[in-house]
Amino acid sequence: MSGSIVIAVDGPAASGKGTLARRLAAHYGFAYLDTGSLYRAVGHAVRQAGGDPSDEAAAVAAARTLDLSRIDDKAIRTPEAGEAASLVAAIPSVRAAILDLQRGFAANPPGGVPGAVLDGRDIGTVICPGAPAKLFVIARPEIRAHRRWLELNNSGSGVSEAQVLEDIKERDRRDAERAASPMKPADDAHLLDTSDLSIEAAFGAAVAIIDKALG
Ligand code: CDP
């Protein structure tokens, strides 16, 4: 068994888990893996090749050849890539193809640091069920839509807030209802509602929970 300390941060789209997980990694001196970026990169690669993200053969081929160092961060942050991500993410063989990569990162974080923070949908339930600290980050859909809309607007997208809300609700539904590793809190996860919290306050609350969990 590896001695790496894993912090699992799960939750729905734009709940604040990415910002939080990145800050937690810096705070504890751990490595950080945004597992959503893997599904986004797979979905994006399928679309780039002119394929359909729901097509299992195309999606699995993209997942098996995923190259972490070649993920184009800008291209995978679009709403279309998020949509493609949730389609490929519902395919069990795609999830299986990138399981070892995630577990390997958690067990042997790059740079020889003592732990890893992974954020996603199934880190606490499937990828690292033995993680000693698990957060499930939530926020009301309207708040999440507003945050995501601000982010997209900052990067020049003309999408409306109502459309972002609709997309988020559809993605929540697909992520929670799929048979393969559905999005749900682990039994031993701590729920953190960031609806009415600033980034700073959410970070403080998360550190208090994690410090207690890690003893
Ligand atoms: O940034 P945002 O919260 O919108 O999404 P993300 O974390 O980048 O994830 C994009 C999509 O990938 C999600 O809607 C899920 O369908 C899928 N995903 C997953 O199934 N399992 C994970 N561990 C992470 C993401």
Side-chain angles (χ1 to χ4, degrees), residues 19-114:
T19 306
L20 191 59
R22 200 170 279 112
R23 287 198 54 173
L24 290 171
H27 176 77
Y28 291 102
F30 290 179
Y32 168 58
L33 180 63
D34 165 8
T35 65
S37 71
L38 308 178
Y39 295 96
R40 284 173 176 269
V42 171
H44 177 67
V46 174
R47 283 250 162 93
Q48 281 282 87
D52 172 0
S54 308
D55 170 16
E56 176 168 5
V60 171
R64 291 203 178 121
T65 52
L66 184 67
D67 180 352
L68 275 187
S69 67
R70 293 198 50 205
I71 292 180
D72 174 351
D73 214 53
K74 213 164 171 195
I76 66 166
R77 294 294 147 201
T78 63
E80 293 73 27
E83 161 83 11
S86 87
L87 291 170
V88 300
I91 303 172
S93 51
V94 168
R95 307 195 72 86
I98 57 174
L99 182 81
D100 286 349
L101 188 159
Q102 297 171 78
R103 287 202 178 139
F105 186 100
N108 296 297
V113 294

Side-chain angles (χ1 to χ4, degrees), residues 13-14 17 35 40 86 89 95 121-122 148 171 175 178:
K17 65 184 187 309
T35 65
R40 284 173 176 269
S86 87
R95 307 195 72 86
R121 302 290 188 285
D122 62 341
R148 183 52 49 91
R171 206 136 64 81
D175 290 348
R178 69 180 177 221

Side-chain angles (χ1 to χ4, degrees), residues 5 26 44 48-49 56 61-62 69 75 81 93 95 126 128 134-136 140 166 175-177 189 196-197 203 213:
I5 302 163
H44 177 67
Q48 281 282 87
E56 176 168 5
S69 67
S93 51
R95 307 195 72 86
V126 174
C128 301
K134 299 179 185 177
L135 292 174
F136 195 85
R140 292 189 293 279
E166 207 166 294
D175 290 348
E177 289 179 2
D196 303 309
L197 298 181
F203 174 69

